[in-house]
Each structure stands twice: as structure tokens, then as C-alpha cells.
Amino acid sequence: MKTLTRMTSIEQLNDGIALSSEVPLLLFKHSTRCPISAHAYDEVLTYLQGHPADKVNYSIIYVVEERSISMEAAERLGVRHESPQAILVKNGSPVWHTSHSHITSSGLSAVLSES
């Protein structure tokens, strides 16, 4: 099973974005204080427990605990911060993103099967 790697430093964020030129990065921004985010997190886990795309790196940023990393991701990627939020990064740039109740296992499957 694929897992979410927790990003706890700007260096990890920079490395993940840089590596996206070789392997796409799905970045999930999660708030531990929000029930909508809890539901989106469950959807991401359901996706990962099913048939996730092999050639994608999966990372999570806890937006409350790692606020500076979350805000840096928004600035670096040019995607307005939301939580929960899923951002697919390829070649250092966001190619798809969604948030809130639009984060679903089936939606992730559809987008990531093309990656």
C-alpha cells in the first residue's frame, strides 16, 4: 500500500517539488481541526488502500501544525491555500487541484490514473 509522507520542513517541500520532474507529487493539505478535512483524509486513504498510481509520490502537510510549510506551498505553487486541498505537481508546477468535498477516492483515481 502507498502511504502519505508527512512534510515537516521547507526542505522536504522543495525536494518534493523538484522531484516532481521525475515522479508526480500529490500534495494533500489537511487540517486536524476540521470535519470536512477529516472526510477528505478518509477519501485519500481509501484511494491509497485501493489501486493507487504507482509512479506518484504522496505527501501530506498538516496545515495547523506546519503552517509555514503550508503557506510556502501555496506561494511556491501559486495555488490559493485551502484546507483540505489536494494538489498534483508535475515538473515543479501544479497541473490539477481541488478542495473540500471535491476530494474523493474516485476523483483521485481518475486524475492520477493519467499521471
Side-chain angles (χ1 to χ4, degrees):
M1 177 180 105
K2 289 280 196 174
T3 59
L4 289 167
T5 301
R6 184 172 178 177
M7 287 194 174
T8 58
S9 70
I10 298 293
E11 291 77 24
Q12 283 179 303
L13 176 65
N14 291 338
D15 290 347
I17 291 171
L19 187 59
S20 73
S21 62
E22 298 171 29
V23 179
L25 169 67
L26 180 73
L27 186 57
F28 177 62
K29 296 171 81 175
H30 174 53
S31 171
T32 55
R33 298 180 181 171
C34 171
I36 295 170
S37 196
H39 179 72
Y41 179 74
D42 288 344
E43 289 290 321
V44 172
L45 292 182
T46 297
Y47 166 77
L48 292 173
Q49 292 169 356
H51 300 286
D54 283 333
K55 297 184 187 220
V56 174
N57 289 328
Y58 300 92
S59 292
I60 185 169
I61 297 173
Y62 289 89
V63 300
V64 173
E65 295 84 347
E66 307 294 347
R67 183 165 179 75
S68 63
I69 299 165
S70 178
M71 298 313 290
E72 179 70 16
E75 185 175 317
R76 286 274 314 276
L77 298 172
V79 176
R80 184 176 69 103
H81 167 76
E82 296 187 70
S83 174
Q85 185 174 46
I87 305 168
L88 181 60
V89 182
K90 290 184 182 179
N91 298 314
S93 297
V95 295
W96 172 86
H97 62 90
T98 194
S99 66
H100 296 84
S101 61
H102 298 288
I103 300 171
T104 63
S105 176
S106 60
L108 293 171
S109 291
V111 169
L112 297 172
S113 67
E114 301 170 6
S115 295

